[in-house]
Amino acid sequence: VQNDLAKFNVNISESLPLIGGFLAQVDEAGRKKLMDAGYLVFVDEEKSWLPVNPWERKDKSPSGLPGIGAFGGQEKPKEKIKPEDLKLKERAKLMEARFQTPLTQKYTGKGVTIAVIDTGIYPHPDFKDRIVAFVDFVNGRSVPYDDHGHGTHVAGDAAGSGKMSGGLYKAPAPEANIAALKVLSDKGGGKTSDIIKAITWCIENKDKYNIKVINMSLGHPAQPNFMQDPTNLAVMMAYKSGLTVVAAAGNEGPEPLTIGAPADTPFAISVGAADDLNTVEKSDDKMTDFSSRGPTFAGFVKPDIVAPGEAIIAPIAPCSNSEMTAIKINKIKETMLWLSKMPDEALLRVPADTLKLIGLSDETIQRWYESPENARKEIKRIFDVGQSMPIEMEAYQGMPGTSMASPIVSGVVAQLFCANPDLNPDQVAQILKMTADKLPDGSSVFAQGHGMVDPHEALQLALDVKDGKVTLPPPTIERVKLPPELEKLLPPSMGLPG
């Protein structure tokens, strides 16, 4: 291949053997020649890999496209907001652990390592003694750090012990080890090549550290052909090596066809975000609006499952961008509470410069001035965002997103390997899907997949498989023929594999 590339005057700087690729300097003319010759050429530039923050999204409404109901439930359009809905209510505080049973307390992930490919990790007391490896692909440092904060939160979602909270904010695998691979900067940007290198590192070191699961709470817009995405190819190789890859579905919902990569590949367990309303009861669980919806461009039924992803409390990385954002949004929340007490006519006279100083976007300000009802709607929306990002005990912070739901599932996967070390990635995926609980809100299979993760039932099935009491059926890839309404939304020239 290198000899062939030499004919195109390609200056190779580094090899990416995991995907049979290379890093090289190529001009636009050379890129076109390579593409014409059958090569896949991607620009390895720094770009944002973190899912869109729910508080930065535009106000979206479900598309309501017909035909989705045939695959497991119709997405319901938002109801018109009533005046009483605009009253500001405090979100209930989590007072009891969600998934605590004698079985889940027995299998804590001890001895299993979760690889967290993210923004790094701060050595928080909840897991600092269990960071078995740290590799910095961004700045080359050797001491664990996290200048963004996202990776620290993700690690805590999966394997935090809750030490600083007296056990209140304990993750599913509180005794699992963590290998932190920093591939994203303080702004959340990163290169595809670094993510591929991190996955390569996991494969090469999986036996040394007993890495069983890779968590990827990151992604980018999916390619029309999922097998032409370099990250997806790397994930496929991790899967073939025996590693279970868990990926965040993305925060681009509620429209269909919004699952990002690598969550769009059948070689990863993709996780959407549900809202458990901070209660232990299952009867009030519901989908979040922001969680990305399937199907994928290839017609795969995604996400596979969902997990709690609204106002998730986990360890904070001091002085990180995430902490600064949380402080800012909580101050804005207090301001919204004050503004909500103003009469209608006064709301419409609040100067635009004042709203900008608060931190509101031009688009939000424009909606604000349309009517008092719109202004109060924006006040409530921003207040609710603040409610999902509290700072607790100066040691934890709340975050919403599929980025938080994904590591919760990764923690459950570590529990499964703790109970049954002989499981393979296909069996793990089957166990999670077979034991998930359907949400009571009637959400489409393209929103909730197989339903809310159930750690207790998953552990019980894993043990039954180990004892020979249950034989899992052969794995299948769930793929559907898209209804015409969704076919119209597909990019042209799909060129999908069979």
Side-chain angles (χ1 to χ4, degrees), residues 178-225:
I178 301 167
L181 295 310
K182 181 175 174 62
V183 297
L184 303 180
S185 69
D186 60 336
K187 301 294 192 297
K191 294 184 176 181
T192 300
S193 58
D194 285 339
I195 291 171
I196 293 171
K197 291 175 187 176
I199 295 173
T200 303
W201 184 94
C202 291
I203 296 172
E204 292 174 344
N205 291 276
K206 63 186 178 68
D207 295 330
K208 179 179 179 180
Y209 296 108
N210 198 31
I211 299 171
K212 293 290 190 179
V213 55
I214 298 175
N215 185 85
M216 301 184 72
S217 289
L218 48 77
H220 60 195
Q223 294 283 332
N225 185 334

Side-chain angles (χ1 to χ4, degrees), residues 107-109 114 130 157-161 171-177 410-412 414-415:
Y107 297 103
T108 59
I114 302 169
R130 291 178 285 117
D157 294 327
S161 68
E175 292 189 299
N177 294 324
S410 290
V412 175
Q415 288 181 292

Side-chain angles (χ1 to χ4, degrees), residues 51-88:
V52 177
N53 292 324
W55 61 88
E56 294 176 349
R57 296 168 63 257
K58 295 178 181 178
D59 188 22
K60 297 181 178 181
S61 298
S63 60
L65 289 172
I68 297 179
F71 301 114
Q74 180 74 38
E75 289 292 313
K76 300 180 179 118
K78 290 182 181 178
E79 297 179 2
K80 188 175 181 180
I81 293 182
K82 303 170 185 174
E84 56 267 26
D85 295 330
L86 299 179
K87 293 180 181 178
L88 304 187

Side-chain angles (χ1 to χ4, degrees), residues 118-120 134-139 145 147 180-185:
D118 216 288
T119 64
F134 174 75
V135 184
D136 182 4
F137 293 93
V138 179
N139 298 309
Y145 73 101
D147 43 10
L181 295 310
K182 181 175 174 62
V183 297
L184 303 180
S185 69

Side-chain angles (χ1 to χ4, degrees), residues 134-369:
F134 174 75
V135 184
D136 182 4
F137 293 93
V138 179
N139 298 309
R141 300 178 188 173
S142 58
V143 177
Y145 73 101
D146 185 1
D147 43 10
H148 184 282
H150 188 269
T152 299
H153 200 284
V154 167
D157 294 327
S161 68
K163 179 179 179 179
M164 295 288 287
S165 63
L168 178 61
Y169 301 127
K170 183 165 66 173
E175 292 189 299
N177 294 324
I178 301 167
L181 295 310
K182 181 175 174 62
V183 297
L184 303 180
S185 69
D186 60 336
K187 301 294 192 297
K191 294 184 176 181
T192 300
S193 58
D194 285 339
I195 291 171
I196 293 171
K197 291 175 187 176
I199 295 173
T200 303
W201 184 94
C202 291
I203 296 172
E204 292 174 344
N205 291 276
K206 63 186 178 68
D207 295 330
K208 179 179 179 180
Y209 296 108
N210 198 31
I211 299 171
K212 293 290 190 179
V213 55
I214 298 175
N215 185 85
M216 301 184 72
S217 289
L218 48 77
H220 60 195
Q223 294 283 332
N225 185 334
F226 73 94
M227 286 300 289
Q228 293 184 352
D229 187 304
T231 310
N232 283 356
L233 295 176
V235 166
M236 178 181 71
M237 298 307 294
Y239 160 85
K240 287 185 175 182
S241 77
L243 291 171
T244 299
V245 180
V246 182
N251 298 341
E252 297 286 354
E255 287 83 0
L257 298 170
T258 51
I259 302 289
D264 67 326
T265 170
F267 307 109
I269 299 170
S270 60
V271 184
D275 188 355
D276 62 6
L277 298 183
N278 281 350
T279 68
V280 295
E281 292 83 15
K282 299 177 182 179
S283 60
D284 58 2
D285 293 351
K286 61 180 182 178
M287 278 304 300
T288 62
D289 280 343
F290 63 77
S291 185
S292 289
R293 266 63 164 175
T296 69
F297 291 147
F300 295 134
V301 177
K302 292 281 185 174
D304 294 298
I305 56 174
V306 296
E310 185 66 89
I312 304 301
I313 311 294
I316 201 168
C319 302
S320 64
N321 281 342
S322 292
E323 184 190 38
M324 297 302 105
T325 300
I327 292 172
K328 175 183 175 181
I329 200 70
N330 276 278
K331 292 296 183 183
I332 294 175
K333 184 188 77 171
E334 294 174 9
T335 304
M336 293 301 109
L337 194 59
W338 177 75
L339 287 170
S340 69
K341 299 174 183 177
M342 296 176 67
D344 287 353
E345 61 274 13
L347 273 181
L348 297 183
R349 291 202 302 269
V350 176
D353 287 345
T354 300
L355 297 178
K356 286 181 180 179
L357 282 174
I358 293 172
L360 306 191
S361 67
D362 290 338
E363 185 181 23
T364 298
I365 294 171
Q366 183 178 353
R367 289 197 299 263
W368 181 295
Y369 287 137

